[in-house]
């Protein structure tokens, strides 16, 4: 899957107002996250390193003990096990996240929606 048309990947609403598409390879996962205004990704952490870029909109972004308002074009790197939270403010937002290694929880969630045929192994 070297080329991906994001419009052909079925979005999953993982939190209220948060739809994501998460194509992935062997060691890296992309997450195209669309957030409605006011949508919240609550404070959480995970063992994966996460980087990303805000493509559209504005976020209140908490990382560790720091809170910032970031706008389109802002990039970030979140070290493993660092608590973080985002809220879409002043309208919808679109974020492209990158995870390494692949987030098993997202991969498992997504695989539930991928049909398996008899020819698949």
């Amino acid at each position: 899957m070297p080329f991906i048309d994001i419009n052909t990947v079925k979005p999953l609403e993982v939190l209220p107002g948060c739809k994501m598409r998460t194509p992935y390879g062997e060691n890296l996962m992309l997450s195209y996250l669309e957030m409605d205004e006011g949508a919240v990704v609550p404070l959480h952490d995970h063992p994966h390193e996460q980087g990303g870029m805000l493509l559209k909109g504005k976020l209140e972004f908490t990382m560790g003990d720091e809170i910032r308002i970031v706008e389109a074009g802002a990039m970030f790197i979140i070290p493993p096990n660092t608590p973080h939270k985002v809220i879409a403010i002043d309208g919808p937002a679109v974020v492209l996240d990158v995870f390494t290694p692949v987030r098993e929880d997202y991969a498992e969630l997504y695989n539930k929606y991928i049909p398996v045929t008899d020819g698949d192994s």
Side-chain angles (χ1 to χ4, degrees):
M1 174 184 353
F3 296 101
I4 301 159
D5 177 353
I6 199 66
N7 297 312
T8 66
V9 179
K10 180 178 177 173
L12 298 176
E13 188 161 5
V14 292
L15 295 163
C18 295
K19 295 179 212 71
M20 72 176 185
R21 297 171 172 98
T22 56
Y24 59 94
E26 185 175 337
N27 299 302
L28 180 130
M29 173 177 274
L30 300 174
S31 177
Y32 185 85
L33 176 65
E34 298 170 288
M35 300 178 69
D36 295 339
E37 180 176 9
V40 178
V41 176
L43 191 67
H44 67 288
D45 65 88
H46 42 73
H48 313 84
E49 186 170 26
Q50 178 179 349
M53 182 174 192
L54 179 57
L55 301 176
K56 174 185 172 185
K58 187 188 283 189
L59 298 174
E60 180 184 288
F61 202 126
T62 302
M63 187 184 324
D65 295 330
E66 188 172 357
I67 300 172
R68 287 192 183 189
I69 303 299
V70 296
E71 297 190 34
M75 294 189 292
F76 54 88
I77 297 176
I78 304 170
N81 304 307
T82 301
H84 54 285
K85 168 186 174 178
V86 294
I87 304 170
I89 57 175
D90 297 337
V94 177
V95 182
L96 177 62
D97 287 314
V98 179
F99 296 96
T100 186
V102 169
R103 283 191 59 159
E104 308 83 1
D105 54 340
Y106 284 3
E108 182 180 325
L109 179 67
Y110 234 89
N111 282 338
K112 290 178 182 176
Y113 296 90
I114 299 173
V116 177
T117 63
D118 292 338
D120 292 344
S121 51

